[in-house]
């Protein structure tokens, strides 16, 4: 790693708080991909893809119950964690229930990008109905970063409850969070809407009651010794309901998260490997 790159990474590494981890890592790997070489670039590309996805999965941006991993729920009658439902359960359900877009589209721009997988119909659906339909006038701006990345003091956002943060130490959050204007990513700007999504949609109100099937290592150990009788709330909340999964599906929440992640990843890679000659990122137009 060259000295200039090491210096820039160090400037990004001034005691990042746990709250900032996915966003911070996304910025770091973008920097390495843009200015590194060899194996370092190879690994940076893999991590870049990973962390772009993480920033668009709301539960990667909250510390409440370890990002939902500490909350057991039911989804399609199976016991799972809230985090797993958002990591894969909702997407798997959508893929399985796709009845259209099972055949190739005339548009070769879409078909040449597909890989012959089980999720091809879902990709066709998101691109055809979403990028070329619902969000046609909106998506070109998704990848754009603020000209001067405004700092975002999290404590000043009234709709965000402290219980959604990774730490209970609020002193960590008094420092404004901002993006690096010299990088082709703005993870803090992109991640900001995820906090409201967590508050409004991801955590259903039923989970705000005391002891919403929370399991610590101690309760897990006790249950192992004493059996299911130890759990005072054996019935887990079912999330495959019209009020929860149905709402998410009807409002295309998951599809929009996936589309935004894809558009932004494409823009970042274009910026790095085919940078604009005038230094100004162009809008992505299909």
């Amino acid at each position: 790693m060259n000295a200039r790159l090491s210096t820039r990474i160090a400037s990004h590494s001034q005691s990042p708080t746990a709250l900032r981890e996915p966003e911070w890592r996304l910025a770091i790997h973008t920097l390495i991909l843009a200015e590194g070489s060899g194996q370092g670039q190879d690994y940076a590309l893999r991590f870049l893809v990973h962390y772009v996805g993480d920033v668009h999965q709301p539960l990667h941006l909250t510390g409440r119950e370890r990002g939902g991993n500490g909350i057991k729920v039911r989804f399609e009658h199976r016991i799972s964690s809230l985090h797993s439902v958002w990591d894969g359960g909702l997407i798997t359900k959508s893929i399985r229930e796709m009845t259209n877009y099972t055949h190739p589209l005339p548009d070769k721009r879409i078909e040449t990008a597909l890989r012959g997988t089980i999720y091809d119909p879902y990709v066709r659906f998101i691109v055809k109905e979403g990028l070329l339909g619902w969000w046609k006038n909106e998506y070109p701006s998704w990848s754009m970063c603020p000209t001067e990345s405004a700092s975002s003091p999290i404590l000043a956002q009234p709709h965000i409850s402290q219980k959604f943060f990774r730490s209970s130490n609020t002193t960590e959050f008094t420092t404004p969070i901002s993006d690096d204007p010299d990088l082709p990513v703005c993870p803090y700007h992109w991640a900001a809407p995820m906090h409201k999504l967590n508050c409004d949609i991801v955590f259903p109100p039923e989970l705000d009651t005391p002891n919403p099937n929370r399991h610590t290592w101690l309760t897990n150990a006790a249950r192992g010794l004493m059996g299911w009788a130890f759990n005072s709330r054996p019935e887990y909340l079912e999330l495959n309901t019209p009020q929860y999964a149905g709402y998410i599906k009807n409002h295309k929440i998951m599809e929009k998260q996936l589309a935004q992640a894809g558009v932004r990843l494409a823009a970042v890679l274009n910026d790095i490997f085919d940078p604009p000659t005038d230094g100004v990122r162009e809008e992505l137009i299909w």
Side-chain angles (χ1 to χ4, degrees), residues 37 63 128 162 260:
S37 61
K128 187 70 174 178
Q162 180 181 330
Q260 286 181 326

Side-chain angles (χ1 to χ4, degrees), residues 58-59 61-62 164 193-203:
L59 287 167
L61 300 175
T62 177
F164 288 91
M194 300 304 103
H195 301 298
K196 189 174 189 304
L197 189 58
N198 274 323
C199 293
D200 294 350
I201 306 297
V202 178
F203 287 89

Side-chain angles (χ1 to χ4, degrees), residues 34-53:
E35 300 194 4
S37 61
Q39 191 176 57
Q41 267 193 323
D42 179 49
Y43 285 130
L45 176 59
R46 303 181 196 199
F47 279 115
L48 173 65
V49 174
H50 180 92
Y51 285 116
V52 168

Side-chain angles (χ1 to χ4, degrees), residues 19-27 55 61 166 187-188 191 195:
L19 172 67
R20 308 180 189 188
E21 185 177 1
E23 301 95 325
W24 175 79
R25 289 180 179 270
L26 175 54
V55 166
L61 300 175
R166 288 198 177 91
Y188 296 116
H195 301 298

